[in-house]
């Protein structure tokens, strides 16, 4: 594992609980993430019916949640990229998720056509692991397309790919949470069977 560059090491040191610079470093991180989420939200402005103050609120909430994620995942930072690059990925992902939630509230359980392409980055924040995650995602996508029923495919893509909340999907399909949990279990079993056969997961792993 490479040693982080000095600037990244300073970030990690300052954000580590108990550091005398902790509060100041968290404030700096939050300011950075708010600039990133504001820029990303502005880039997406209008594409999902979000403008003005509502869009600003999305960006602010995304920055706050990204900051919490960075602090929680701080032990996972391995120094393979600059700390700020690593941290800003959380911010960009949070903006996408917040905008998607707005769309669900407005339009119901619409599926995100770009969500499959975003899955590898969601699975792993480490750049060298994204390539491995992409192979796994492509295998999952192939199984979903060829082995699942249309309903199972819709449930999987809504819950696992686009991240539609289960309550929203239940309303959309006129179903119940328990019925969707059963469908989710069946889908996981099918995926696990095929991924095990291809050697892409081990016996102890659970398909997400």
């Amino acid at each position: 594992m490479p040693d982080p560059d000095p600037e990244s090491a300073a970030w990690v040191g300052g954000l580590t609980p108990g550091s005398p610079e902790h509060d100041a470093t968290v404030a700096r991180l939050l300011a950075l993430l708010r600039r990133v989420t504001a820029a990303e939200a502005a880039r997406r402005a209008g594409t999902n019916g979000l403008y003005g103050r509502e869009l600003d609120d999305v960006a602010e909430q995304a920055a706050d949640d990204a900051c919490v994620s960075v602090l929680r995942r701080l032990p996972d930072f391995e120094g393979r990229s600059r700390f700020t690059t690593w941290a800003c990925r959380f911010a960009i992902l949070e903006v996408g998720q917040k905008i998607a939630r707005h769309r669900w509230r407005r339009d119901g359980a619409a599926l995100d056509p770009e969500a499959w392409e975003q899955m590898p980055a969601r699975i792993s924040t480490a750049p060298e692991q994204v390539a491995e995650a992409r192979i796994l995602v492509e295998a999952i996508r192939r199984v979903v397309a060829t082995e699942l029923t249309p309903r199972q495919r819709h449930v999987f893509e809504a819950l696992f790919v686009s991240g539609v909340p289960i309550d929203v999907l239940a309303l959309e399909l006129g179903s119940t949470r328990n019925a969707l949990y059963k469908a989710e279990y069946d889908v996981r079993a099918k995926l696990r069977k095929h991924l095990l056969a291809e050697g892409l997961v081990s016996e102890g792993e659970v398909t997400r």
Side-chain angles (χ1 to χ4, degrees), residues 128-144:
E128 72 283 358
Q129 294 174 355
V130 170
E132 296 177 8
R134 188 171 290 113
I135 294 172
L136 178 61
V137 168
E138 286 305 316
I140 292 172
R141 194 170 189 173
R142 184 171 63 254
V143 174
V144 168

Side-chain angles (χ1 to χ4, degrees), residues 39-97:
E40 180 66 10
R43 187 181 71 81
R44 295 170 176 249
T47 59
N48 290 279
L50 283 169
Y51 302 92
R53 183 59 201 168
E54 192 172 20
L55 191 66
D56 293 341
D57 287 343
V58 165
E60 187 170 334
Q61 292 168 18
D64 291 345
D65 288 348
C67 188
V68 171
S69 294
V70 169
L71 294 175
R72 186 177 65 248
R73 296 284 297 275
L74 190 63
D76 297 339
F77 178 66
E78 297 181 339
R80 298 180 188 275
S81 62
R82 296 178 67 86
F83 176 83
T84 50
T85 301
W86 180 79
C88 288
R89 293 182 64 192
F90 289 94
I92 292 170
L93 288 174
E94 283 289 348
V95 171
Q97 291 169 4

